[in-house]
C-alpha cells in the first residue's frame, strides 16, 4: 500500500514546548512518498488495536562557537507511541524525549565526551531537574505521564479539546492542570501523529506498550582545515507491545541527525531543514540504490519486527547470528544488515 503523496515537503515549526529551563521546538516531519512494506497482522476478535509511532527531531537551538564561548549542537527528539482502536480511541500512550548536546570550540575540536550515555528525559527522572531547579509541580516524566493517562479512552479530537487551551497548556482549573503545567501542545501533536501512523500489527487492547531508545554520538568527528566536522546523533527507537512477555507488535525506526561545522566552530548546516527518520526516508535512504542491498532499511527493519512478533525476549536474544548478521535462513533472506542493535532494543523494551 502506498503512502499518500506529499505534494509539498515542508518543515513546519510548531509551538515551542516548555521543558524546564529551555524551550524545545518540534519539527514536524513530512514523509516522502515511499512504499509502505510494513507487514500487517490483525488479531482475531474485537479487541484488536493498532500500534503507532511518531518521531519529531529538531536541532534549531544549536549555536556556533565564538572566541571564549563553545558552540553547542542541541538535539531535541520527541517520541510518541500509542495503541488505538479502529474508532480512534486511544488505549495506551507513551511520550519520551531525547535531549542531547555536543559542544565544540572555535578551532573545530569537539569538547564533549562522545562515549557518555545519553539517557531520555523519562530515564533521567528527577535528575532532569525541573523540580529541584525550576520549582515545577512535578518532574518532566511525571507531567507527560499525566498527559498520557489523560489520553487513554479519548479520541484525538477529545484529547485536543480537553487537554490544552489556546495557549497549548492544560486549561486552568482542570484536573490535568494540577499535574501538568508544562507546554503540552507539541506533545498532543506528537500523539496525533502517532495515531495517524498507527497500523494493525498484532496488538490487542490491554497489551503492555513500551517505547525505548538507544542513543549515541560516537560517529561525530572534529573539523580540520580540509574537512568539515560532524556532529551526529544516532537514535535507535522501538515500540513494542507485549502480553505475558510475548511480543504482540513491534515497530523499529532510527534517526541520524547530522550537523556540520567548520574549523572555526561555525555551523554550516541549515538548522531549519527537516530531519527524517529512516522509515520516513524509505528508498531515499539509499541502501538499494547505492549499496545494492536486497531491501531498503525500512523494509529490513519491518521484516525483523514482524519476525520477532510472537517471540519472548529470550527467544529474540537467542536468534542465531553470524558476524553480527542473522544466520537464521528465514530471517537472513530479508534482513541482511546487522541485527545486534535491533536485539538490544527488544531486550530493553521487555526488560
Amino acid at each position: 500500500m502506498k503512502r499518500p503523496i506529499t505534494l509539498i515537503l515542508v518543515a513546519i515549526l510548531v509551538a515551542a514546548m516548555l521543558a524546564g529551563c529551555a524551550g524545545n521546538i518540534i519539527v514536524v516531519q513530512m514523509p516522502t512518498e515511499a512504499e509502505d512494506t510494513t507487514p500487517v497482522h490483525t488479531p482475531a476478535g474485537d479487541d484488536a488495536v493498532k500500534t503507532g509511532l511518531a518521531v519529531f527531531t529538531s536541532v534549531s537551538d544549536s549555536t556556533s562557537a565564538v572566541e571564549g564561548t563553545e558552540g553547542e549542537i542541541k538535539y531535541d527528539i520527541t517520541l510518541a507511541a500509542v495503541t488505538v482502536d479502529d474508532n480512534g480511541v486511544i488505549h495506551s500512550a507513551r511520550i519520551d524525549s531525547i535531549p542531547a548536546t555536543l559542544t565544540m570550540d572555535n578551532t573545530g575540536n569537539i569538547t564533549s565526551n562522545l562515549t557518555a550515555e545519553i539517557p531520555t528525559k523519562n530515564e533521567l527522572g528527577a535528575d532532569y531537574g525541573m523540580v529541584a531547579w525550576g520549582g515545577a509541580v512535578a518532574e518532566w516524566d511525571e507531567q507527560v505521564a499525566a498527559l498520557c493517562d489523560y489520553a487513554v479512552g479519548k479520541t484525538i479530537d477529545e484529547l485536543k479539546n480537553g487537554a490544552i487551551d489556546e495557549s497549548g497548556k492544560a486549561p486552568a482549573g482542570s484536573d490535568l492542570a494540577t499535574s501538568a503545567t508544562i507546554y503540552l501542545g507539541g506533545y498532543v501533536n506528537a500523539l496525533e501523529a502517532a495515531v495517524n501512523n498507527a497500523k494493525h500489527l498484532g496488538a490487542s487492547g490491554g497489551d503492555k506498550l513500551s517505547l525505548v531508545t538507544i542513543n549515541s554520538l560516537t560517529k561525530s568527528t572534529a573539523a580540520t582545515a580540509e574537512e568539515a566536522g560532524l556532529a551526529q546523533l544516532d537514535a535507535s527507537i522501538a515500540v513494542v507491545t507485549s502480553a505475558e512477555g510475548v511480543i504482540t507488535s513491534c515497530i523499529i525506526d532510527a534517526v541520524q541527525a547530522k550537523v556540520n561545522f567548520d574549523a572555526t566552530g561555525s555551523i554550516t548546516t541549515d538548522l531549519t531543514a527537516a530531519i527524517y527518520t529512516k522509515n520516513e526516508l524509505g528508498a531515499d535512504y539509499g541502501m538499494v540504490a547505492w549499496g545494492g542491498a536486497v531491501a531498503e532499511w525500512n523494509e529490513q527493519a519491518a521484516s525483523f519486527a514482524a519476525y520477532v512478533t510472537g517471540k519472548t525476549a529470550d527467544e529474540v536474544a537467542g536468534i542465531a547470528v553470524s558476524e553480527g548478521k542473522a544466520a537464521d535462513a528465514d530471517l537472513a533472506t530479508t534482513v541482511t544488515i546487522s541485527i545486534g542493535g535491533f536485539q538490544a532494543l527488544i531486550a530493553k523494551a521487555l526488560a
Side-chain angles (χ1 to χ4, degrees), residues 45-298:
D46 296 330
D47 63 344
V49 293
K50 297 181 286 186
T51 307
L53 168 66
V55 181
F56 297 147
T57 303
S58 173
V59 292
S60 62
D61 286 339
S62 302
T63 56
S64 297
V66 296
E67 187 174 356
T69 303
E70 290 183 327
E72 293 184 323
I73 310 301
K74 288 190 174 184
Y75 302 92
D76 180 17
I77 302 179
T78 296
L79 314 165
V82 297
T83 56
V84 58
D85 64 27
D86 288 335
N87 294 318
V89 177
I90 297 170
H91 283 238
S92 58
R94 299 287 183 271
I95 295 171
D96 208 346
S97 178
I98 306 168
T101 301
L102 179 146
T103 56
M104 70 283 193
D105 62 25
N106 65 344
T107 68
N109 287 317
I110 293 173
T111 55
S112 296
N113 177 7
L114 298 181
T115 63
E117 181 182 1
I118 303 173
T120 69
K121 290 183 183 179
N122 282 345
E123 290 169 338
L124 285 169
D127 290 337
Y128 188 60
M130 281 181 55
V131 173
W133 301 103
V137 298
E139 201 46 75
W140 186 94
D141 63 313
E142 297 170 318
Q143 297 202 36
V144 296
L147 174 62
C148 289
D149 289 344
Y150 182 84
V152 172
K154 296 178 176 64
T155 65
I156 283 297
D157 285 343
E158 291 169 339
L159 176 61
K160 285 180 173 180
N161 291 332
I164 53 175
D165 58 19
E166 295 80 1
S167 72
K169 292 189 174 185
S174 67
D175 291 341
L176 185 57
T178 63
S179 54
T181 57
I182 60 176
Y183 178 82
L184 299 176
Y187 300 125
V188 171
N189 289 341
L191 289 173
E192 181 176 20
V195 167
N196 290 338
N197 292 338
K199 296 179 177 65
H200 282 293
L201 300 174
S204 298
D207 290 352
K208 179 183 177 182
L209 175 65
S210 300
L211 171 63
V212 298
T213 72
I214 297 175
N215 314 302
S216 173
L217 285 166
T218 58
K219 292 182 181 178
S220 302
T221 56
T224 66
E226 294 78 26
E227 192 166 346
L230 173 64
Q232 178 171 326
L233 175 62
D234 289 294
S236 298
I237 305 154
V239 176
V240 176
T241 61
S242 60
E244 298 181 350
V246 177
I247 297 168
T248 57
S249 71
C250 179
I251 302 170
I252 294 174
D253 206 346
V255 177
Q256 289 182 331
K258 301 179 181 181
V259 177
N260 293 116
F261 54 93
D262 63 22
T264 69
S266 294
I267 294 170
T268 57
T269 295
D270 178 4
L271 298 179
T272 66
I275 299 173
Y276 299 104
T277 70
K278 291 183 181 179
N279 283 348
E280 289 171 329
L281 286 169
D284 290 337
Y285 187 61
M287 280 180 51
V288 173
W290 301 103
V294 298
E296 203 47 76
W297 189 95
N298 64 306

